[in-house]
Amino acid sequence: MAEYNEGNQPAASYAEALDAQGSALRQLRAERGLKSYSEIDKRALALTAGRERLPKATLHAAFKGHYLGLDRLMLLVRVLMSWDEYGEGCTVVPHRAGVLTPWRSAWSHLATLRPGPRSARPGGSTEGATAPSRPATPARLSQPNGMRIYISYAGPDRVWAEWVAWQLHQAGHQVLIDVWDWHAGDDFHEAMKRGLAQADALVALFSPSYFEQGRWTGTEIEAALAQGKRLIPLAIEYVPHDSIPENLAKRLRKDLWGLDEATAAAAVLEAVGGTERPHTPPTFPGAPLDSGEAHGTAVS
């Protein structure tokens, strides 16, 4: 089945729509040679002339049935369709090919069901919620019992960025992330300046994409450091030490890649909240000698 199954009834809930999309992607992958994540990522780079990647974290999220932006979803589907049923390379499907229409339609339906992030409340259900209209400028950050945090990330890492933002939001922090708080027509530089001016800290999601030339991430980092903001680096993929700028490489960072979801969520909150000094004495590392052992060294 190279196409999304148009015969199925549209999902009635956001969770069902996500499950359906994840299932369809897993089936398409199985029908096109069950390629590894590494092979899919390499093919994405080839198809986009090195401009876009599909890293392991993104692929894991997609096949597990997590939310994926339309552009990233279409890239993944086109990459999978660039292999035939025998796993051999074949003609690349054009952007507007009819075979992609069911995928676009299913995603559009999913998007209408998707709850608005800013309408959510910690501990409360967001299923079926309607996102409130947003002002022309980013919402003012104010949270008496938490930090005000600006999320800095590279475009290909949006899935990770939204996941981290949600963990922090649920923990009581006020989060500013462009895909939730800005909309078409906003001036990026002005929105960034206002957001950073109001933020207590900047969370930077380190990945190979984050340090690519031409990304706005460098501008965000420079602006945050110039304003004396706290910088909290979280590594969502392995990044060679020599790929990180010198002023950032010497900073302690928390690794999220390779962790399960619960451990990664705990790591995010620890990185932002910091660790506490122990309230009880640490265990004494020594051990008493057995009664038969000497208590000193004889000197002749």
Side-chain angles (χ1 to χ4, degrees):
M1 168 182 129
E3 298 187 34
Y4 214 107
N5 190 344
E6 295 181 272
N8 291 340
Q9 292 293 322
S13 71
Y14 181 57
E16 291 176 351
L18 284 176
D19 286 342
Q21 179 174 282
S23 177
L25 286 170
R26 292 193 299 273
Q27 183 175 348
L28 180 59
R29 181 188 176 199
E31 293 176 352
R32 299 301 177 115
L34 201 61
K35 297 298 183 179
S36 69
Y37 286 0
S38 177
E39 290 175 296
I40 295 172
D41 187 27
K42 288 179 181 178
R43 182 61 63 94
L45 281 169
L47 260 59
T48 61
R51 294 188 304 273
E52 294 291 341
R53 295 188 55 207
L54 289 172
K56 180 179 179 180
T58 297
L59 294 172
H60 179 74
F63 292 123
K64 288 279 286 185
H66 293 184
Y67 179 80
L68 206 63
L70 181 59
D71 289 344
R72 188 57 60 82
L73 173 64
M74 288 298 99
L75 174 59
L76 174 54
V77 172
R78 291 178 65 234
V79 166
L80 294 174
M81 288 184 176
S82 69
W83 289 290
D84 62 21
E85 62 270 30
Y86 304 107
E88 300 294 332
C90 61
T91 303
V92 178
V93 176
H95 283 283
R96 298 298 174 184
V99 72
L100 298 177
T101 300
W103 290 91
R104 295 182 190 278
S105 298
W107 184 91
S108 296
H109 176 64
L110 183 153
T112 64
L113 298 173
R114 190 181 185 212
R118 291 190 63 79
S119 65
R121 292 292 181 268
S125 173
T126 60
E127 192 65 54
T130 301
S133 58
R134 295 181 292 194
T137 58
R140 180 163 183 79
L141 302 177
S142 60
Q143 184 78 3
N145 299 320
M147 292 178 60
R148 297 166 297 182
I149 301 173
Y150 182 108
I151 306 292
S152 173
Y153 68 99
D157 301 323
R158 174 175 169 173
V159 172
W160 264 108
E162 293 199 72
W163 182 84
V164 168
W166 183 253
Q167 304 308 312
L168 295 172
H169 169 75
Q170 290 292 85
H173 299 289
Q174 185 70 18
V175 180
L176 178 65
I177 178 173
D178 57 355
V179 292
W180 293 357
D181 299 291
W182 304 347
H183 60 276
D186 282 348
D187 183 293
F188 168 78
H189 284 283
E190 289 301 315
M192 179 191 69
K193 285 166 57 179
R194 282 191 293 267
L196 285 174
Q198 298 167 15
D200 298 311
L202 178 142
V203 165
L205 303 186
F206 284 9
S207 71
S209 297
Y210 193 88
F211 299 107
E212 290 176 349
Q213 291 187 350
R215 298 279 183 195
W216 289 107
T217 49
T219 303
E220 292 173 326
I221 288 283
E222 290 174 6
L225 294 178
Q227 294 182 32
K229 301 297 180 180
R230 179 186 171 198
L231 175 62
I232 306 171
L234 301 176
I236 57 175
E237 290 184 65
Y238 170 72
V239 184
H241 188 76
D242 57 6
S243 298
I244 303 176
E246 185 177 355
N247 66 327
L248 300 179
K250 61 187 178 182
R251 293 176 178 267
L252 297 176
R253 58 183 178 272
K254 182 75 72 172
D255 289 339
L256 304 185
W257 58 276
L259 304 179
D260 60 62
E261 185 170 9
T263 306
V268 169
L269 300 184
E270 181 181 315
V272 171
T275 55
E276 296 183 353
R277 288 176 177 267
H279 298 291
T280 57
T283 302
F284 175 58
L289 296 172
D290 292 338
S291 57
E293 292 183 310
H295 290 270
T297 302
V299 178
S300 56

